[in-house]
Amino acid sequence: MAADSMEIDDALYSRQRYVLGDTAMQKMAQSHVFLSGIGGLGVEIAKNIILAGVKALTVHDTKHCTKWDLGINFFIHEDDVTSQRNRAEATLPRIAELNPYVHVAASTVPLDETTDLSFLKHYQCVILTEVSLLLQKKINDFCHAQQPPIKFISADVYGVCSRLFCDFGDEFEVLDTTGEEPKEIFISNITQSNPGIVTCLENHPHRLETGQFLTFREVNGMSCLNGSTHQITVVSPYSFSIGDTSEMEPYLHGGIAVQVKTPKMCYFELLEKQITNPLCLVPDFSKPEAPLQIHVAMLALNQFQENFGRGPNIGCLQDAEEMLKIAISISETLENKPQVNGDVVKWLSRTAKGFLPPLAAAVGGVASQEVLKAVTGKFSPLQQWLYIDVLDIVTPLEKMGSEEFVPRGDRYDALRACIGDSLCQKLHNLNVFLVGCGAIGCEMLKNFALLGVGTGQDKGLVTITDPDLIEKSNLNRQFLFRPHHIQKPKSYTAAEATLNINPYIKIDSDINKVCPATENTYSDEFYTKQDVIVTALDNVEARRYIDSRCVANLRPLIDSGTMGTKGHTEVIVPHLTESYNSHRDPPEEEIPFCTLKSFPAAIEHTIQWARDKFESSFSHKPSLFNKFWQTYPSAEEVLQRIKSGESLEGCFHVIKTLSRRPRSWTQCVELARVKFEKYFSHKALQLLHSFPLDTRLKDGSLFWQSPKRPPFPVKFDFNDPLHYGFIVSTAKLFATVYCVPFTEKDLSEETILGIISSVKVPEFRPSNKVVQTDETARKPDHIPVSSEDERNAIFQLEKSILSNEALETDLQMKPISFEKDDDSNGHIDFVTAASNLRAKMYNIEPADRFKTKRIAGKIIPAIATATAAVSGLVALELIKVVGGYPADAYKNCFLNLAIPIMVFTETAEVRRTEIRNGISFTIWDRWTIYGKEDFTLSDFINAVREKYGIEPTMVVQGVKMLYVPVMPGHIKRLKLTMQKLVKPSADKKYVDLTVSFAPETDGEEDLPGPPVRYYFVQEDN
């Protein structure tokens, strides 16, 4: 089957398609991959690439399942250990059911120095884990020598260190280095000079880089630029040069420069050569020397294994000394002769036999993305090493005795070898609240299960909540769910699946949303019982809310998120770090109202217009219609009331809708045809009537110039699929909202042509309506109704009543909620047709259904690789939080697997706010005042002054101002009791108030204070 003709299952892959694109998806679906070693790292890589959708994966392993594997491989169960099954065979059926489109096979034959490697020619990519360095070199040599080369990846996790290596052959072509959408830049000027300087519209920086290529279109005057491609040099954030334009015609106006994606060639060296002179990615810029130090330490580990036929023993200082000697001698053989870090070597030696599952999740996510790059040519590959260590987890454990790390014969031995038994016990006894059971939530639950979180005999509990049901598109990355789980609650299903990984974990699952409405469930008391809160959310509002609850209750919070190949993690610890709300991203730019209504310049504008039309016609208006007739149950009553001069809100629009209500399929089609004329012909004619093409502004410049595009009416053509598609999708939606039945025959071309050919389309009559051109103007809330409109409404309503067309059934409509993922409902069909017709009217490049769905549905692109990496990093921070580590141990991370970059940074230290006279506070401070029944506001203010040395001048409860001296009547409140002012519910023991203080000099703003928790009665201690 040709690569470009393959059908992609959009219901399953839609979120990933937006990350990779169809070309890469089709290449992937034809690739065969070989993976050796299905331990903790191998199973992570297998999971991610099966979810992604390669054609076939062979998993190879020669080891048998042991108790040890239960703590590192989430698809190995206790009965596999009892029956001593081979790891690949035990894992096979469980990884195979992750994706029905991927053929998964197991291989258990030995792979060693004597193996004939010709069988690997069948594969496009080979991944090795748990393979000796000698064998890695041999297999790499074989892969590199093939034509075309077999892409080679090796990855390992030993204790607290990990490494990843890639070799994709001498030359490897990358078709798209970043995966970002090509930028479009609106031009305001081009100079006639050498070099010609292009300036973009003010307040719209181009965000280009020197060396990139652009092509031009719609340039007026200097028209020879149109269709040509130029390499640019950045001059400033708003300008760039393009070479000699001195001989060209002078620039007049308009023009768009579009970025051209150019393929890039990457070059790789063999493993043998890279060992002596490694090219490493630096993930932590505060330790630029770390990658080389781990490189030497891991080479020393491989040499130790070769010399002694075993790994260094857990916690053995003698083995650590031996490994240090080896490291020093290896360092001398490398080109840069890097300095050996004794601590890295020692901790690697002590923990090498152990295994940290979250570290494997992080490395596995990165490694899997490299596999996808290898088989698709999409995104920039890793060149050529990545080293990640978690020494900041083990450094504080220095003083622990070696008995802490020795095996106990249970599933946590691999973990215990790295972090010691005391930390393992703390994890078992942990109470954790996980908010969200989507992609990150599923990965987090897997990490919790492997770490033994919430498995303590008397203590420990994982509480999870998610109000959503499982949809097919979730299965592509929410790996705990299967097709038979569709339409079941995420939280209950995820809890059940987690028990398959670790039957001893205690999980309490809910289907609540965490928001102010559920504060009775997720109360202060609930939060104080939690040791840590982990968010797995997809929106900022929910994060901000949960962060505020964590700050109010002094709970640590670990947040993370992904968007395509990008991801972030943030750890928030009481009294040490800033909180999530301490920083705010700039708000998303809104499209100006006048741009949407009359002057679109880009396809995003027409898509948003079509989405708004959907909302208004099929959701908002029907909802208002129903609400009106629920308030006024009969048409006769309404007629009487408006005749007597009463003004009923919204009645004009409701009566208009009632009088024009289509009552048959024919009328729905007719209405759709009339809407076509109104939206795509009359609108253009009206704008050109208001602003003819030669209209000029006060400064003499043309009104219709970039970014304003003049519209041209679209003439209806039944044979144009776009026109026909609009009519059918619009008519179907009108039929749905007006409860008009229709059949398959009604949808036939013959029927629709018959209806349309007899439609009397109203002629265009220009109006003198003012067209809004001010970009800062907002959409008006209410359009005033004229007295003529009111008289007309009375006439129309009388007519409907007399014609028996205002009966109870006529006073109901069926509002539609926009649903992007159901292809049968026609919602995306309508938005695509309406958007592209408007784009045609304004001569804007149209968008296909796929792109339209992403923009209209506000779909966040997502892929399992980034999700797995991010949740692994979160779980590593969780271990530190549980251990009560100092501030400098915590790391936030930003990653983009496409480029690839991974940047670890220290958390932001909490800021201290000075009030005055040495009195200060942080976001984590809370003052407390204990009152009694007759405690007045004046008593409260005095109590704050006596206890904290400063007198409040303002007291606020949430958004309610309790006491602001300058407000009328507020001075009288000083005598009122706190009970009367606050009006607490019967069970409320306290209230959180905000206070502020008078400034030192008049005219300045009041000084902020910390929250004050006021208890209505003295608590029993």
Side-chain angles (χ1 to χ4, degrees):
M1 190 190 286
D4 53 3
S5 65
M6 287 180 62
E7 191 73 27
I8 293 171
D9 183 347
D10 188 62
L12 176 66
Y13 288 123
S14 65
R15 305 306 188 260
Q16 183 177 289
R17 279 177 84 181
Y18 292 119
V19 181
L20 296 176
D22 287 4
T23 307
M25 290 281 293
Q26 284 158 346
K27 283 183 178 177
M28 202 161 63
Q30 296 195 317
S31 58
H32 295 73
V33 178
F34 178 83
L35 167 65
S36 180
I38 198 84
L41 179 55
V43 74
E44 280 285 348
I45 297 170
K47 160 180 64 80
N48 297 336
I49 59 179
I50 290 170
L51 289 171
V54 294
K55 182 175 186 177
L57 172 69
T58 302
V59 290
H60 166 265
D61 203 292
T62 55
K63 294 176 183 171
H64 293 292
C65 299
T66 64
K67 198 83 175 246
W68 186 275
D69 289 306
L70 295 173
I72 66 172
N73 181 325
F74 45 86
F75 281 144
I76 287 177
H77 299 164
E78 289 183 346
D79 58 337
D80 300 321
V81 178
T82 313
S83 52
Q84 288 206 313
R85 293 179 72 192
N86 169 279
R87 294 198 301 183
E89 288 174 344
T91 310
L92 178 76
R94 290 151 204 162
I95 55 172
E97 66 175 10
L98 289 170
N99 191 336
Y101 293 106
V102 181
H103 177 72
V104 187
S107 165
T108 61
V109 296
L111 181 62
D112 54 35
E113 277 72 11
T114 62
T115 305
D116 176 4
L117 298 178
S118 56
F119 77 96
L120 291 175
K121 289 180 181 178
H122 175 63
Y123 301 98
Q124 282 80 52
C125 181
V126 168
I127 312 138
L128 304 181
T129 70
E130 303 185 20
V131 170
S132 74
L133 192 57
L134 275 175
L135 187 52
Q136 283 182 42
K137 288 180 192 174
K138 182 185 172 184
I139 295 173
N140 176 235
D141 289 348
F142 176 84
C143 291
H144 196 100
Q146 302 309 305
Q147 282 307 326
I150 300 166
K151 315 303 179 286
F152 174 89
I153 296 170
S154 70
D156 277 302
V157 171
Y158 288 109
V160 293
C161 294
S162 67
R163 84 174 151 211
L164 172 62
F165 172 79
C166 296
D167 170 14
F168 295 172
D170 287 332
E171 290 186 346
F172 178 75
E173 188 179 48
V174 178
L175 303 172
D176 179 355
T177 55
T178 65
E180 302 292 337
E181 288 269 322
K183 295 182 179 73
E184 288 201 358
I185 294 112
F186 287 96
I187 295 165
S188 68
N189 188 44
I190 306 172
T191 61
Q192 234 180 336
S193 56
N194 185 11
I197 304 291
V198 181
T199 308
C200 45
L201 291 180
E202 59 178 334
N203 301 328
H204 291 81
H206 53 68
R207 297 192 174 91
L208 295 167
E209 292 171 20
T210 294
Q212 289 179 328
F213 289 86
L214 298 178
T215 182
F216 291 83
R217 66 169 197 256
E218 299 176 33
V219 176
N220 291 280
M222 209 176 268
S223 54
C224 61
L225 277 178
N226 292 329
S228 65
T229 301
H230 297 260
Q231 193 169 18
I232 65 130
T233 303
V234 171
V235 176
S236 79
Y238 296 93
S239 61
F240 50 88
S241 66
I242 55 167
D244 193 353
T245 57
S246 56
E247 300 299 313
M248 295 181 186
E249 293 286 308
Y251 171 82
L252 292 176
H253 65 84
I256 298 171
V258 184
Q259 186 185 353
V260 179
K261 294 259 180 176
T262 48
K264 180 187 171 187
M265 201 61 81
C266 295
Y267 306 95
F268 290 85
E269 291 180 341
L270 283 161
L271 176 61
E272 183 77 67
K273 189 167 183 197
Q274 272 286 305
I275 281 174
T276 57
N277 189 18
L279 183 60
C280 300
L281 190 72
V282 178
D284 188 340
F285 293 116
S286 69
K287 302 188 296 185
E289 69 291 341
L292 268 182
Q293 293 174 347
I294 306 167
H295 181 72
V296 174
M298 290 190 93
L299 289 177
L301 174 65
N302 294 125
Q303 192 61 53
F304 185 101
Q305 288 164 332
E306 258 177 65
N307 292 357
F308 299 99
R310 62 171 178 87
N313 287 323
I314 294 168
C316 176
L317 296 177
Q318 208 174 338
D319 283 355
E321 287 301 320
E322 185 59 40
M323 209 167 103
L324 185 58
K325 286 179 199 162
I326 297 171
I328 292 164
S329 63
I330 284 176
S331 173
E332 289 303 309
T333 66
L334 304 188
E335 278 193 31
N336 290 337
K337 297 188 171 35
Q339 199 176 356
V340 176
N341 183 323
D343 283 342
V344 172
V345 176
K346 177 187 72 184
W347 278 113
L348 177 59
S349 172
R350 286 179 64 171
T351 62
K353 278 194 175 170
F355 191 89
L356 265 177
L359 183 56
V363 179
V366 183
S368 316
Q369 190 69 57
E370 295 307 311
V371 176
L372 305 188
K373 293 174 190 178
V375 297
T376 64
K378 176 90 175 192
F379 305 140
S380 304
L382 169 69
Q383 290 188 289
Q384 286 187 251
W385 301 87
L386 171 67
Y387 285 101
I388 302 173
D389 73 276
V390 283
L391 251 70
D392 41 18
I393 286 184
V394 290
T395 308
L397 311 178
E398 182 77 56
K399 294 186 173 64
M400 279 188 179
S402 57
E403 70 284 350
E404 273 276 337
F405 301 89
V406 295
R408 312 275 165 108
D410 63 17
R411 63 169 62 220
Y412 306 111
D413 276 347
L415 175 66
R416 189 177 285 111
C418 296
I419 65 170
D421 190 59
S422 299
L423 254 180
C424 285
Q425 293 308 321
K426 284 182 179 176
L427 287 166
H428 299 341
N429 294 334
L430 197 68
N431 289 330
V432 61
F433 181 32
L434 174 68
V435 190
C437 299
I440 290 176
C442 284
E443 291 283 342
M444 283 313 310
L445 284 168
K446 172 255 300 178
N447 292 334
F448 291 167
L450 294 175
L451 292 172
V453 169
T455 58
Q457 279 193 321
D458 306 315
K459 291 180 188 169
L461 176 68
V462 176
T463 305
I464 61 174
T465 188
D466 194 311
D468 291 347
L469 301 179
I470 295 160
E471 294 170 9
K472 188 175 178 181
S473 65
N474 300 149
L475 306 182
N476 172 233
R477 61 204 178 284
Q478 302 179 16
F479 86 102
L480 296 178
F481 308 143
R482 302 289 175 268
H484 62 270
H485 293 139
I486 289 170
Q487 287 306 300
K488 291 183 177 175
K490 284 186 177 180
S491 60
Y492 300 159
T493 311
E496 199 180 319
T498 308
L499 286 166
N500 287 332
I501 301 173
N502 186 340
Y504 306 101
I505 192 168
K506 290 171 284 180
I507 306 182
D508 186 1
S509 49
D510 293 324
I511 51 171
N512 301 318
K513 195 174 173 183
V514 183
C515 59
T518 55
E519 277 186 22
N520 282 344
T521 304
Y522 305 116
S523 60
D524 289 347
E525 191 182 351
F526 170 83
Y527 277 93
T528 49
K529 284 179 182 166
Q530 307 308 316
D531 297 303
V532 63
I533 287 84
V534 176
T535 48
L537 296 160
D538 61 0
N539 70 88
V540 171
E541 284 69 36
R543 285 189 176 100
R544 290 201 183 290
Y545 171 72
I546 289 164
D547 176 73
S548 69
R549 300 290 288 132
C550 290
V551 171
N553 291 287
L554 305 180
R555 298 293 94 185
L557 166 69
I558 313 177
D559 176 58
S560 60
T562 68
M563 184 171 170
T565 56
K566 301 185 184 88
H568 80 272
T569 64
E570 183 176 7
V571 58
I572 293 152
V573 185
H575 304 296
L576 298 182
T577 70
E578 290 286 11
S579 80
Y580 184 83
N581 281 305
S582 303
H583 51 82
R584 284 186 179 264
D585 292 332
E588 268 188 54
E589 266 186 51
E590 275 191 5
I591 304 168
F593 170 65
C594 71
T595 302
L596 281 180
K597 192 164 172 59
S598 307
F599 308 113
I603 194 66
E604 287 78 7
H605 302 160
T606 69
I607 291 171
Q608 187 59 52
W609 173 87
R611 179 73 182 79
D612 290 349
K613 273 279 170 274
F614 180 98
E615 206 56 38
S616 153
S617 305
F618 310 121
S619 179
H620 185 61
K621 282 178 184 170
S623 297
L624 290 179
F625 185 89
N626 288 349
K627 193 177 171 188
F628 183 88
W629 293 115
Q630 280 158 7
T631 312
Y632 310 103
S634 80
E636 289 78 7
E637 184 195 327
V638 168
L639 181 62
Q640 236 174 345
R641 290 172 80 158
I642 52 177
K643 271 185 169 177
S644 66
E646 244 188 280
S647 176
L648 307 183
E649 194 184 341
C651 82
F652 168 69
H653 296 293
V654 165
I655 292 166
K656 192 168 136 185
T657 304
L658 178 66
S659 65
R660 295 179 182 181
R661 182 180 186 123
R663 294 161 190 284
S664 66
W665 173 248
T666 298
Q667 288 178 347
C668 290
V669 176
E670 287 170 350
L671 182 56
R673 174 66 186 89
V674 170
K675 291 291 184 192
F676 182 101
E677 204 67 17
K678 178 186 172 184
Y679 296 157
F680 311 119
S681 176
H682 291 185
K683 174 72 183 177
L685 294 167
Q686 178 61 45
L687 270 171
L688 293 172
H689 168 77
S690 302
F691 304 105
L693 287 175
D694 55 2
T695 305
R696 290 190 180 270
L697 300 168
K698 284 176 186 170
D699 65 0
S701 61
L702 281 168
F703 176 83
W704 292 109
Q705 65 167 309
S706 182
K708 281 193 179 71
R709 311 167 74 88
F712 297 97
V714 177
K715 189 170 169 38
F716 180 76
D717 176 3
F718 183 84
N719 295 315
D720 187 319
L722 186 58
H723 299 203
Y724 178 74
F726 175 82
I727 299 294
V728 173
S729 60
T730 308
K732 278 167 74 177
L733 289 167
F734 276 133
T736 305
V737 294
Y738 288 111
C739 309
V740 173
F742 58 91
T743 63
E744 278 300 312
K745 188 172 182 293
D746 288 331
L747 293 169
S748 70
E749 276 192 36
E750 192 184 343
T751 305
I752 288 169
L753 179 59
I755 298 168
I756 279 178
S757 47
S758 59
V759 175
K760 287 187 175 60
V761 177
E763 275 186 34
F764 169 68
R765 289 204 180 94
S767 88
N768 294 321
K769 267 201 302 195
V770 176
V771 177
Q772 181 60 263
T773 59
D774 179 3
E775 289 203 359
T776 60
R778 302 187 77 79
K779 185 178 180 177
D781 290 336
H782 289 290
I783 297 161
V785 178
S786 67
S787 53
E788 188 188 340
D789 287 338
E790 281 175 4
R791 282 195 298 277
N792 200 12
I794 293 172
F795 169 71
Q796 284 177 335
L797 188 55
E798 281 179 329
K799 193 177 161 192
S800 294
I801 292 168
L802 288 170
S803 329
N804 277 339
E805 290 184 345
L807 304 173
E808 196 177 330
T809 50
D810 299 314
L811 307 184
Q812 286 171 3
M813 287 174 75
K814 186 182 171 187
I816 299 173
S817 291
F818 181 72
E819 172 46 65
K820 60 188 178 291
D821 283 320
D822 178 1
D823 286 344
S824 65
N825 64 20
H827 299 186
I828 294 294
D829 296 336
F830 168 83
V831 173
T832 306
S835 164
N836 283 342
L837 278 163
R838 189 166 170 85
K840 193 173 184 178
M841 178 167 115
Y842 282 95
N843 194 24
I844 292 167
E845 195 78 21
D848 60 13
R849 189 179 191 280
F850 182 57
K851 180 175 178 177
T852 304
K853 176 177 168 177
R854 175 176 64 81
I855 296 169
K858 293 185 166 59
I859 290 174
I860 299 171
I863 188 164
T865 50
T867 310
V870 155
S871 57
L873 296 171
V874 167
L876 290 170
E877 295 307 309
L878 176 83
I879 295 171
K880 299 175 196 174
V881 170
V882 172
Y885 282 30
D888 59 3
Y890 300 105
K891 292 280 187 285
N892 293 339
C893 181
F894 170 77
L895 56 85
N896 184 349
L897 301 184
I899 303 180
I901 59 163
M902 200 171 203
V903 181
F904 291 102
T905 55
E906 287 192 1
T907 54
E909 189 183 347
V910 66
R911 281 197 302 273
R912 184 160 283 284
T913 304
E914 296 288 332
I915 305 174
R916 61 164 178 261
N917 306 339
I919 301 167
S920 65
F921 68 96
T922 75
I923 53 165
W924 298 104
D925 289 326
R926 188 173 64 218
W927 293 355
T928 49
I929 297 292
Y930 292 97
K932 46 184 191 281
E933 212 165 311
D934 57 354
F935 216 68
T936 63
L937 177 59
S938 180
D939 291 333
F940 170 79
I941 289 169
N942 290 335
V944 173
R945 187 188 62 228
E946 282 170 28
K947 189 168 180 182
Y948 296 103
I950 189 163
E951 182 173 317
T953 48
M954 194 156 92
V955 183
V956 179
Q957 178 194 358
V959 291
K960 183 172 145 194
M961 293 189 173
L962 294 185
Y963 177 63
V964 183
V966 294
M967 300 272 281
H970 275 219
I971 296 291
K972 291 177 185 170
R973 292 184 175 184
L974 289 169
K975 293 176 183 172
L976 294 178
T977 66
M978 293 297 282
Q979 291 270 11
K980 196 165 186 178
L981 268 174
V982 173
K983 301 185 180 73
S985 53
D987 59 337
K988 199 83 170 139
K989 292 180 181 175
Y990 55 80
V991 63
D992 286 328
L993 304 171
T994 308
V995 295
S996 49
F997 309 99
E1000 298 202 43
T1001 52
D1002 288 345
E1004 290 184 11
E1005 284 193 17
D1006 279 8
L1007 303 166
V1012 179
R1013 182 162 286 186
Y1014 172 71
Y1015 287 85
F1016 296 106
V1017 288
Q1018 183 75 39
E1019 285 223 315
D1020 301 328
N1021 288 332

